[in-house]
């Protein structure tokens, strides 16, 4: 074990997908140069935004639902240890086995051992952000076990040896001709005359997946919700692949972040209204699968639940940042974010892109390992307005920016500014100096060296013609 009471650990380095190879500004610059990517992103995010806006407008109590979702999550976080133990008790009583994983390494080891014990060499997977976070596919492959993603977009990403770039639409950066090429290159048994007609592409994936579903005995899933009161797990999805994975195999292993808990069965009423409208713009999910331990003669006869920490306890310890654990992964904040819409998900370097990624990834890893992500935002506040559980992402961003290491020059300038603003006479002299600089012709030319780097990509606000003090004196 690497976690001890009072010393919550961060997600370990060298495993999983929470840290990028490059800082956000460098990766974003590369993404911005790809005009095809920007077109794909604009089309997809604006389409989902429009659809979601229309179905949300149908509900007169949307704001009350948001408030209820937010309150339920806050209650869950305040009582997390007790609720997790209640969940363990209920799952165990229903014939399941609960495993506690302090971090990614431990979770990968547990899942790999469980699959090995079955003697199988292949697993089918339902789309799961938690297993991507910990790099489970890589761990399984290293153990000689083949994971097969069954969500269509995840399958495209896996066959393309690529990374997901959106929570809900992981292959948002791919167009149909690229998908056809990937299928022809990497999908076993694909018809060489396959066209890039979307129904044909879906048909090819369906044939391959149907064969895989029927011949694989172990499945790995995530969970959208776990109900402490009953020990019930829930997965919501649109393609039916989740239903196949959760019912056909003999063994089911579910990997779930500890924050996915809700206290009671009736709480699902709130979240099952919020999630589909905010994420896919649907009134309800096409498939909502719920299961409860093991039922003799029906569905998997061996069920394991792996409860994953991987930095979450550390996030919970932060009074401002803990709100990020309320996230229900709807992706609404991505679809309204002007930064995400231009850079796409890869620039964030983490499995969690967009505004939620900018606040969750640095907290799971520690801000020092992801210092540029809290700056991947214009602080416009659109994410806060869109979030169905009212996570105040802009406030967390500012909070995390304060924790990020600042260059020495910037810290010195800020200290000097604070010193000056604290002293009225000195502040008045500084204002006069700024006015002189304006008269001396620095208008529109930015700051003089050595501060010119700061104003190279920013408009320097013009000093006003008249200061407040001058105006006041004049009256
Ligand atoms: S932060 Fe809110 S809007 Fe963004 S994915 Fe999570 S629940 Fe959805």
């Amino acid at each position: 074990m690497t976690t001890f009471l009072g010393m919550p650990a961060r997600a370990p380095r060298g495993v999983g997908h929470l840290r990028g190879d490059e800082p956000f500004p460098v990766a974003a610059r590369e993404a911005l140069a790809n005009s095809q990517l920007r077109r794909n992103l604009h089309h997809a995010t604006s389409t989902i935004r429009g659809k979601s806006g229309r179905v949300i407008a149908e509900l007169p109590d949307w704001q009350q639902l948001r408030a209820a979702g937010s309150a339920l999550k806050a209650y869950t976080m305040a009582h997390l240890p007790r609720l997790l133990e209640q969940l363990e008790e209920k799952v165990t009583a229903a014939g399941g086995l609960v495993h506690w994983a302090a971090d990614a390494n431990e979770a990968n080891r547990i899942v790999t051992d469980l699959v090995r014990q079955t003697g199988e060499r292949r697993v089918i997977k339902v789309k799961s952000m938690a297993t991507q976070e910990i790099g489970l596919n890589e761990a399984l492959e290293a153990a000689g076990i083949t994971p097969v993603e069954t969500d269509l977009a995840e399958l495209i990403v896996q066959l393309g040896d690529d990374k997901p770039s959106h929570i809900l639409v992981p292959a948002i950066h791919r167009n149909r001709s690229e998908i056809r090429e990937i299928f022809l290159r990497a999908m076993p048994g694909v018809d060489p005359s396959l066209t890039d007609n979307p129904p044909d592409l879906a048909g090819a994936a369906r044939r391959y997946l149907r064969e895989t579903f029927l011949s694989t005995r172990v499945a790995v899933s995530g969970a959208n919700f776990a109900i402490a009161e009953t020990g019930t797990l829930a997965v919501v999805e649109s393609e039916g692949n989740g239903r196949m994975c959760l019912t056909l195999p003999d063994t089911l292993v579910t990997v779930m972040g500890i924050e996915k808990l809700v206290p009671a069965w009736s709480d699902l009423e709130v979240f099952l209204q919020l999630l589909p409208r905010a994420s896919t713009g649907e009134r309800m999910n096409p498939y909502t699968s719920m299961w409860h331990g093991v039922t003799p003669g029906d569905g998997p006869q061996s069920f394991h639940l792996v409860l994953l920490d991987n930095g979450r306890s550390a996030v919970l310890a932060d009074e401002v940042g803990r709100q990020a654990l309320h996230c229900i992964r709807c992706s609404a904040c991505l679809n309204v974010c002007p930064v995400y819409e231009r850079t796409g998900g890869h620039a964030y370097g983490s499995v969690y892109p967009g505004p939620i990624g900018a606040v969750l990834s640095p907290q799971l890893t520690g801000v020092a390992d992801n210092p540029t992500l809290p700056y991947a935002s214009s602080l416009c506040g659109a994410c806060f307005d869109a979030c169905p559980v009212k996570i105040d992402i802009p406030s967390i961003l500012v909070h995390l920016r304060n924790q990020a290491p600042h260059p020495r020059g910037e810290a010195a300038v800020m200290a000097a500014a604070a010193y000056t603003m604290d002293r009225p006479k000195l502040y008045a002299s500084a204002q006069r100096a700024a006015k002189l600089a304006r008269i001396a012709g620095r208008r529109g030319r930015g700051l003089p060296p050595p501060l010119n780097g700061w104003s190279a990509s920013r408009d320097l606000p013009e000093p006003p013609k008249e200061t407040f003090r001058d105006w006041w004196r004049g009256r």
Side-chain angles (χ1 to χ4, degrees):
M1 288 287 284
T2 48
T3 335
F4 303 93
L5 267 187
M7 292 175 61
R10 302 285 178 181
R13 291 181 184 150
V15 59
H17 301 284
L18 287 171
R19 297 165 176 86
D21 299 331
E22 293 170 318
F24 180 81
V26 177
R29 202 163 291 133
E30 281 167 27
L32 287 170
N34 184 341
S35 52
Q36 177 66 46
L37 173 72
R38 289 212 311 276
R39 263 195 301 278
N40 292 357
L41 284 166
H42 174 72
H43 176 70
T45 54
S46 54
T47 306
I48 302 173
R49 258 193 331 255
K51 224 175 136 194
S52 173
R54 280 190 292 279
V55 292
I56 284 174
E58 293 172 355
L59 288 189
D61 60 347
W62 180 252
Q63 294 307 331
Q64 287 93 321
L65 278 170
R66 286 179 81 211
S70 171
L72 282 168
K73 280 291 180 183
Y75 177 90
T76 306
M77 294 309 137
H79 299 88
L80 196 58
R82 174 177 64 77
L83 292 171
L84 282 169
E85 284 178 9
Q86 189 184 5
L87 176 75
E88 179 182 34
E89 190 189 307
K90 295 290 176 182
V91 170
T92 309
L97 257 177
V98 176
H99 309 258
W100 298 78
D103 61 23
N105 286 319
E106 204 170 1
N108 286 336
R109 200 165 51 241
I110 292 169
V111 179
T112 307
D113 286 349
L114 288 171
V115 179
R116 273 206 190 109
Q117 283 162 23
T118 66
E120 296 292 322
R121 311 305 291 171
R122 184 170 70 175
V123 300
I124 41 177
K125 285 187 70 213
V126 198
K127 179 177 177 324
S128 148
M129 311 252 8
T131 61
Q132 287 166 15
E133 173 189 322
I134 62 177
L136 179 64
N137 284 7
E138 289 87 337
L140 289 171
E141 279 162 4
I145 299 160
T146 307
V148 180
E149 296 289 351
T150 64
D151 173 274
L152 178 54
E154 286 294 343
L155 180 67
I156 294 165
V157 168
Q158 186 182 37
L159 293 176
D161 206 11
D162 199 355
K163 286 183 181 160
S165 62
H166 189 279
I167 292 178
L168 185 70
V169 203
I172 198 170
H173 54 291
R174 295 288 192 191
N175 60 31
R176 59 194 196 172
S177 68
E178 289 174 310
I179 294 169
R180 173 180 170 269
E181 278 166 31
I182 291 170
F183 280 9
L184 287 176
R185 182 163 28 90
M187 185 183 279
V190 74
D191 180 352
S193 64
L194 180 70
T195 72
D196 66 1
N197 186 22
D200 293 347
L201 294 171
R206 184 178 294 122
R207 275 187 294 281
Y208 165 63
L209 286 175
R210 186 60 54 129
E211 161 70 28
T212 311
F213 285 132
L214 293 173
S215 56
T216 309
R217 310 269 34 102
V218 184
V220 175
S221 86
N224 291 92
F225 305 103
I227 302 161
E229 179 188 46
T230 57
T232 310
L233 280 295
V235 162
V236 295
E237 38 106 16
S238 302
E239 297 171 17
N241 62 306
R243 180 69 54 86
M244 304 284 262
C245 287
L246 298 167
T247 53
L248 286 177
D250 301 327
T251 300
L252 172 62
V253 183
T254 298
V255 182
M256 186 192 95
I258 51 174
E259 80 282 19
K260 290 301 179 75
L261 211 54
V262 296
W265 176 261
S266 55
D267 299 334
L268 276 189
E269 177 198 339
V270 173
F271 293 108
L272 292 182
Q273 290 184 78
L274 288 171
L275 182 56
R277 287 179 195 255
S279 62
T280 48
E282 290 165 308
R283 295 186 182 92
M284 64 183 289
N285 289 92
Y287 293 89
T288 301
S289 303
M290 298 187 199
W291 70 101
H292 181 74
V294 171
T295 307
D298 184 12
Q301 295 301 292
S302 170
F303 169 56
H304 299 267
L305 174 62
V306 181
L307 294 172
L308 174 72
D309 189 311
N310 208 36
R312 285 160 176 79
S313 293
V315 183
L316 191 60
D318 185 315
E319 281 181 24
V320 178
R322 65 172 62 137
Q323 272 188 79
L325 295 177
H326 297 188
C327 176
I328 56 173
R329 311 277 189 266
C330 72
S331 75
C333 56
L334 279 64
N335 299 329
V336 297
C337 177
V339 176
Y340 176 85
E341 188 174 324
R342 282 154 186 84
T343 65
H346 290 163
Y348 294 77
S350 162
V351 63
Y352 302 112
I356 184 58
V359 294
L360 187 58
S361 311
Q363 293 198 85
L364 291 173
T365 60
V367 178
D369 278 15
N370 262 317
T372 55
L373 281 185
Y375 292 90
S377 166
S378 63
L379 297 181
C380 68
C383 48
F384 186 17
D385 293 339
C387 178
V389 287
K390 296 178 80 168
I391 300 174
D392 185 357
I393 294 177
S395 293
I396 309 177
L397 286 166
V398 173
H399 174 67
L400 296 177
R401 286 180 187 187
N402 286 331
Q403 293 174 21
H406 293 273
R408 251 190 255 154
E410 186 189 321
V413 170
M414 289 301 164
Y419 183 87
T420 308
M421 288 176 176
D422 222 17
R423 289 161 180 77
K425 281 191 184 152
L426 194 57
Y427 185 61
S429 312
Q431 281 182 319
R432 277 196 294 277
K435 207 167 159 188
L436 277 178
R438 184 172 173 274
I439 295 163
R442 287 220 67 88
R443 294 174 75 164
R445 287 170 50 201
L447 290 167
L451 306 174
N452 50 345
W454 192 89
S455 55
S457 58
R458 297 172 175 87
D459 292 332
L460 197 63
E462 279 223 355
K465 286 194 183 118
E466 185 182 35
T467 66
F468 174 76
R469 285 154 193 263
D470 294 341
W471 174 83
W472 186 255
R473 217 174 286 124
R475 254 138 248 261

